Amino acid sequence: NIKYYFFNPSTIIYFLLYLCVGYLIKTKHWLTFLLSKQVLIYSALVFLTFILAKQKIDINLSLTNNIFTPFFLTLLYSIVGTIMILNISNLIARLKWLAWFLNLCGQSSFFILSFHIILGNVLIPKLLPQTSHSYFFDILTLILTIAGCILIKDLFTRFKITRWLFLPNQKY
């Protein structure tokens, strides 16, 4: 029951403000300044401040229900979040090993989607018995699940019958 309000004045105002901010960044060549470690740190601090003080500030940002209150703080919150995500993406692109790993995960996404429940919820917890709940165990399970799915993808690409059955793209 989600209703979209495309022709509401506040939606149009937000769209035009984003358009103006993007135009200013493009024409004034501010992108090189915005994609820096200092801006990432400041934007993360502002974003975390908004999240931690959410009860006191009472920011409501819901694009599907057309709720933008209070106007200026919600605009600032969304722009700072966008700048922070751009910086994180730029940082990931600069780290070659992380970009390589994420590319490998993207190539193995079908297998991660298909086998993560079997590996992460059934097989790995039986191989690594857990005495108590810990975040270290959860992180280790996640890493082993992704590595196992990448290994399954690698095994499927090695054999002709599995390539033919599961990988219709013949580039392998």
Side-chain angles (χ1 to χ4, degrees), residues 33 36-49 80:
F33 168 73
S36 65
K37 290 180 184 175
Q38 294 85 6
V39 173
L40 174 63
I41 292 169
Y42 291 134
S43 63
L45 287 174
V46 170
F47 195 77
L48 286 173
T49 303
V80 166

Side-chain angles (χ1 to χ4, degrees), residues 78-151:
S78 61
I79 289 175
V80 166
T82 303
I83 290 170
M84 186 179 70
I85 295 217
L86 284 173
N87 272 298
I88 291 171
S89 301
N90 193 38
L91 187 64
I92 288 172
R94 287 184 184 172
L95 298 173
K96 298 296 182 196
W97 63 273
L98 187 56
W100 169 81
F101 176 72
L102 291 175
N103 190 20
L104 187 62
C105 287
Q107 291 172 356
S108 306
S109 62
F110 169 76
F111 295 95
I112 292 172
L113 183 65
S114 300
F115 296 108
H116 77 277
I117 293 176
I118 295 168
L119 288 175
N121 294 348
V122 177
L123 189 62
I124 292 174
K126 287 187 180 182
L127 293 175
L128 300 172
Q130 179 182 3
T131 56
S132 65
H133 181 74
S134 70
Y135 292 113
F136 175 74
F137 182 79
D138 292 340
I139 292 169
L140 182 64
T141 302
L142 176 69
I143 291 170
L144 289 175
T145 301
I146 291 173
C149 292
I150 291 172
L151 181 66

Side-chain angles (χ1 to χ4, degrees), residues 108 111 149-159:
S108 306
F111 295 95
C149 292
I150 291 172
L151 181 66
I152 289 171
K153 180 234 175 214
D154 210 29
L155 288 173
F156 272 50
T157 58
R158 290 182 189 265
F159 300 106

